[in-house]
Amino acid sequence: MTGRARVFGDDINTDYIITSRRKRESLDPSVLRQYLFEEIDPGFAATVQPGDLIVAGKNFGCGSAMEVAVTVVLGSGIRSVLARSFSRTYYRNAVNNGLLPVICDTSQIHEGDQLSVEPGRVTNLITGAIIESSPIPKIMMDILDAGGLVPYFRQHGDFQL
């Protein structure tokens, strides 16, 4: 997977990703996408291109356990979030919905950098830097490859351990 880095800092909570009042208006990802990160940058959603990658510091997705905070990211055409760390709930919601969470050192990634994400590493195509990423357990990769937990169960009927 390759894409353009869209960089944020530490402690990006779910209400920054999408404010909780928006989920009362709609749960349709094509509607929600216009509100992505509106609390941080009201014009951000209009600049997102399919394939962009969110890059953040530590504790991405902290705060409430709103699954819609993953839905809005996917609805915007973003397929992966790279961060130094994630809240446990956001990480699992991401996997369960088919959004690839990548744990790696993001300190040398800048806004607009072109990145290539592969199992175990991220390559900055601008600088040539190769960044190791934490491995994702096989069962989680299987869920991600299926497109999320529901599609996984539709295909397998149970966990294939």
Side-chain angles (χ1 to χ4, degrees), residues 60-74:
F60 186 85
C62 58
S64 69
M66 295 190 303
E67 194 167 332
V68 72
V70 171
T71 303
V72 69
V73 171
L74 287 167

Side-chain angles (χ1 to χ4, degrees), residues 90-136:
Y90 192 91
Y91 187 91
R92 286 313 305 248
N93 281 342
V95 170
N96 290 345
N97 286 281
L99 176 66
L100 176 63
V102 176
I103 298 172
C104 65
D105 179 4
T106 57
S107 63
Q108 299 302 309
I109 300 172
H110 303 330
E111 181 72 21
D113 283 354
Q114 290 294 313
L115 306 175
S116 173
V117 179
E118 301 171 50
R121 72 186 210 175
V122 175
T123 304
N124 187 322
L125 301 174
I126 301 298
T127 66
I130 297 173
I131 304 162
E132 288 186 33
S133 61
S134 297
I136 296 175

Side-chain angles (χ1 to χ4, degrees), residues 81-98:
V81 177
L82 291 67
R84 288 196 344 245
S85 66
F86 291 85
S87 81
R88 284 177 65 163
T89 304
Y90 192 91
Y91 187 91
R92 286 313 305 248
N93 281 342
V95 170
N96 290 345
N97 286 281

